[in-house]
């Protein structure tokens, strides 16, 4: 149950960074100054989901578990959550 709460928290953090209005100006600035590397990271749901999961997993456990478990779980959960949000917005 605890890992599920951690994954939900990581997914929420990823979506706030990529889609939240609080980071909008920061994302726009990054896209203007560094569009091909860090700017793209802050606009890609999949990329940010993986890196946030990797960071969260490394804080929670060792680095191997972070890469194999938290990074991938957060990535896939963020993709599913993003897909649900986009689908709901188009209906």
């Amino acid at each position: 149950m605890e890992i599920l709460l951690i994954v939900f928290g990581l997914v929420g953090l990823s979506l706030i960074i990529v889609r939240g209005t609080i980071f909008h100006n920061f994302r726009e600035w990054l896209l203007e100054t560094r569009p091909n590397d860090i700017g793209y990271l802050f606009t890609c749901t999949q990329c940010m989901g993986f890196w946030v999961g990797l960071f969260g997993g490394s804080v929670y456990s060792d680095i191997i578990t972070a890469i194999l478990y938290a990074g991938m779980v957060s990535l896939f959960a963020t993709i599913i959550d993003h897909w649900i949000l986009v689908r709901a917005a188009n209906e």
Side-chain angles (χ1 to χ4, degrees):
M1 182 66 174
E2 183 179 349
I3 193 68
L4 189 61
L5 293 175
I6 291 170
V7 169
F8 283 149
L10 295 174
V11 169
L13 180 61
S14 299
L15 290 175
I16 288 170
I17 292 171
V18 173
R19 299 179 55 103
T21 57
I22 193 167
F23 286 104
H24 177 72
N25 293 335
F26 181 67
R27 283 192 308 269
E28 293 296 319
W29 177 76
L30 281 176
L31 282 173
E32 290 175 9
T33 57
R34 306 211 29 172
N36 295 327
D37 48 14
I38 195 81
Y40 180 73
L41 173 68
F42 276 78
T43 59
C44 174
T45 306
Q46 296 172 347
C47 306
M48 188 56 71
F50 175 77
W51 288 108
V52 166
L54 187 71
F55 175 74
S58 65
V59 169
Y60 181 72
S61 185
D62 61 353
I63 194 67
I64 301 300
T65 304
I67 292 171
L68 295 177
Y69 192 69
M72 294 300 171
V73 169
S74 178
L75 166 67
F76 289 123
T78 305
I79 291 169
I80 291 168
D81 195 46
H82 176 71
W83 179 74
I84 290 169
L85 287 174
V86 168
R87 189 161 191 182
N90 290 333
E91 290 182 355

